[in-house]
Amino acid sequence: MLNTAVSRLGFIGAGQMARAIGFPLIQKGILKPDQITTSSPEESHLIPWRKIGCQTTSDNCKVVDSSDAIIWAVKPQMFAEAAKVLSRTSTSRKFHISIMAGLQLGVFKETLLGSTNEKEGIGSARVMPNIGMKVGAGCSVYTMGPETTDNEKQFLWKLLSTNGLVYEVHETQINAYCGLFGSGIGFMFIVLEAMSDAAVCMGIPRDLSLTIAAQTMKGAAELVLDEKEHIHPAILKDSVCSPGGTTIAGVAEMEKYGVRTGIISAIVAATKRGEELGKK
C-alpha cells in the first residue's frame, strides 16, 4: 500500500497508457481496485477497468471528486474541453498529473485553475511514461510544480518507480525523453518485427522468430543495463563482430541502408512533434 496521504487515484482517460500505469498498481497490491476511479467517453475503454473491480464513469467530475490524485491521460488537443466540466467539482485540494505529450506544465496548471473550484490550491506534475510500465519494464521522467507537497512527491515517485526506471528532469528536456523512450519503444517494435520477418524469410516459423527476436533484444538491453559492467553498446557490438564474420557483414548492411540514421531521425522527429503539440 502507499504510505502517503494520497490514497485514492483517478484517471481521466482510460486507454492503453492509463492501463499500463494503473493495472500493475493493483496487481502488485499498491492500490486496491476500489481506490481507483476512471472516466472515458468510450465505453470500450472502461470495460477492462470494471472487470478488475475499479469504479468507472463517463463524468470527469466524479473522478476528481472521488480522488486525491488525478492522472490526465487524454490526448493533449482534447484536454481543454475535458477540463471545462471541473467547475462542478469540490473545493478540496487535489494533485493533478499530466501524462499528455507536449503539454507544458504551466499551461496544464493554468487550464485547471481556470476551470476548477479548488480554492485550497492544486498540486501539479508533468510525467512522460512509456508502455513498458505494463510489464514492470517502463521508463518515466517527471517534473513537479512548485506548489507540490512532500506527500504528493512521495506518491508520484512510488507510483512510477513501481513499474520501472524513473528520473526527475527539467521540463525543457521532457519532449526529448518522449522521443527517446515514449515513442522510442514503438520504434523498437519495428526493429523487432523486421528481425522476425528476416527470420521467416530464412525459413524460421513466425511464432518462434518473434520470441527469439524479442529475447535477443531483451538480452542486448540487459547487457547495457548491467550495473556491474557499465559497457558501452559500441563495445558490446564490437565484441560480437569477428573479422570477416557474420555479424560485421550484417552491420555493414545496416550502415549501407541507414538504419542508424533512420533511428536518430525518428527520435528527433518525435521530439519536434511533441514540441508542436505543446504549442497548439
Side-chain angles (χ1 to χ4, degrees), residues 247-259:
T247 306
I248 193 62
V251 168
E253 288 297 299
M254 293 177 76
E255 297 294 353
K256 175 181 175 181
Y257 288 100
V259 172

Side-chain angles (χ1 to χ4, degrees), residues 59-123:
D59 186 349
N60 294 342
C61 293
K62 290 182 179 178
V63 175
V64 175
D65 284 337
S66 64
S67 306
D68 301 308
I70 301 95
I71 294 178
W72 289 82
V74 299
K75 290 181 173 60
Q77 57 268 34
M78 297 170 60
F79 169 59
E81 186 65 29
K84 283 181 180 178
V85 297
L86 296 186
S87 60
R88 297 188 281 115
T89 59
S90 68
T91 60
S92 60
R93 180 188 173 91
K94 307 290 181 177
F95 180 30
H96 292 270
I97 303 161
S98 167
I99 63 168
M100 295 174 284
L103 190 71
Q104 295 178 7
L105 184 58
V107 175
F108 175 62
K109 181 181 175 183
E110 182 180 343
T111 303
L112 290 174
L113 288 173
S115 303
T116 186
N117 289 318
E118 293 172 21
K119 296 182 171 37
E120 297 175 23
I122 65 170

Side-chain angles (χ1 to χ4, degrees), residues 173-223:
Q173 298 177 306
I174 285 187
N175 287 326
Y177 283 106
C178 174
L180 175 61
F181 66 75
S183 300
I185 194 168
F187 308 151
M188 294 303 97
F189 294 140
I190 294 174
V191 173
L192 194 157
E193 183 185 29
M195 291 173 67
S196 173
D197 285 345
V200 171
C201 187
M202 295 295 102
I204 298 175
R206 172 65 73 184
D207 289 350
L208 186 57
S209 71
L210 281 171
T211 299
I212 292 176
Q215 182 67 18
T216 301
M217 189 173 286
K218 181 180 179 181
E222 293 288 355
L223 286 166

